[in-house]
Amino acid sequence: MGGFFRSKKFRIILCVIALLIGIMLYSVTQNGYTLPTTGFIGRVLNPIRLVSNRISDGVEHTLELFTQAKDTQQENIELRQQVAGLEKQLVDYQNTQDELAELQKFMGVKEEHENDTFSNPCTIIGYVENDPFHGFYIDKGSEDGLSVYDPVVTSEGLVGIISEISETYATVETLCSPNLSVSVMASGKNESGIVEGDVTLTADYQCRMIYLDRETTLTPGDLLVTSNSVGIFPQGYLIGSIVSIEPMESGLSYSAIIEPAVDLENLSSVIVVTDFAGKEQQNAAE
């Protein structure tokens, strides 16, 4: 067997194989095309040429698909980035629209009470823990010109007062708190009274008007507004409406359950009345 590998016949076979491999390589480098051949060599090389052409075409097609896939992947990445950018712009636009809507509402308050001075809109940043009277925190404080006892309002009406303050935030006590007493009068009627928080009503975000005469002319649906021109609260801010009227425990007078004009359960922003007619007398009294 070892003699065959050293024989002349084996060398000839090697030369033929080397020649065929060289032709195949040349065919591949020329995109599968070689010079025309005839006769026996042509018949021998034609199948090789066909195979090499198919291999070349297959490799070229695979490379093309790979390139297209990379291009498509890059396009997808760019499209996702564009979509993310558009979504952010949409969110920013919606936030801007909401802010403008809030400002428009507060502008109405300022126009209606043009002699009062107001803060910029304040955002509610949290609620007082374990407070059954729905107190909350706002994102502005003494650095923004706010003070303790400043009234807090929205475009719908009175919310409460600032009860505690720091440089950058403040605590707001709402109308539901028994600590607040607001002098009110009925819109269109010559009747007045005091509105204050009631423990039995706070779960429903309601408060009570007390010390009504037995001959009161107030009826459910009547609107109540602040009446004092001197004191903690400025005059003319809507408090709410009467839900019902019932006798007090003593039987000597009546009280009314009040639905606040402001939706205290769903507040997101407020403004603070930092100055108003009568506040100087209030400060002097203190």
Side-chain angles (χ1 to χ4, degrees), residues 10-23 44:
F10 179 69
R11 293 193 186 100
I12 293 173
I13 292 173
L14 287 178
C15 290
V16 171
I17 292 173
L19 175 63
L20 293 176
I21 292 173
I23 294 172
V44 172

Side-chain angles (χ1 to χ4, degrees), residues 152-171:
V152 178
V153 301
T154 71
S155 58
E156 285 78 27
L158 184 68
V159 174
I161 63 167
I162 291 178
S163 58
E164 296 180 11
I165 197 166
S166 70
E167 292 182 350
T168 57
Y169 72 94
T171 304

Side-chain angles (χ1 to χ4, degrees), residues 7 24 35 62 74 96 112 130 133 135 143 162 184 188 204 212 219 223 235 238-239 244 251 255 273:
S7 66
M24 289 175 64
L35 294 174
T62 301
Q74 182 62 34
T96 301
E112 186 176 352
N130 300 322
F133 308 114
E143 288 184 346
I162 291 178
V184 299
D204 296 322
L212 299 178
T219 58
L223 298 179
Q235 188 174 15
L238 184 62
I239 294 290
S244 63
S255 69
V273 186

Side-chain angles (χ1 to χ4, degrees), residues 104-115 118:
Q104 286 176 349
K105 290 193 297 183
F106 291 138
M107 286 301 297
V109 178
K110 293 179 179 181
E111 290 174 358
E112 186 176 352
H113 303 276
E114 57 184 13
N115 293 324
F118 299 89

Side-chain angles (χ1 to χ4, degrees), residues 212-264:
L212 299 178
D213 292 336
R214 292 175 62 88
E215 293 77 22
T216 180
T217 61
L218 297 180
T219 58
D222 285 346
L223 298 179
L224 304 175
V225 297
T226 54
S227 61
N228 278 357
S229 58
V230 177
I232 293 179
F233 300 101
Q235 188 174 15
Y237 285 84
L238 184 62
I239 294 290
S241 60
I242 295 177
V243 176
S244 63
I245 297 176
E246 57 190 31
M248 297 187 72
E249 292 182 359
S250 65
L252 301 177
S253 60
Y254 282 76
S255 69
I257 296 176
I258 308 302
E259 185 75 31
V262 177
D263 184 1
L264 298 174

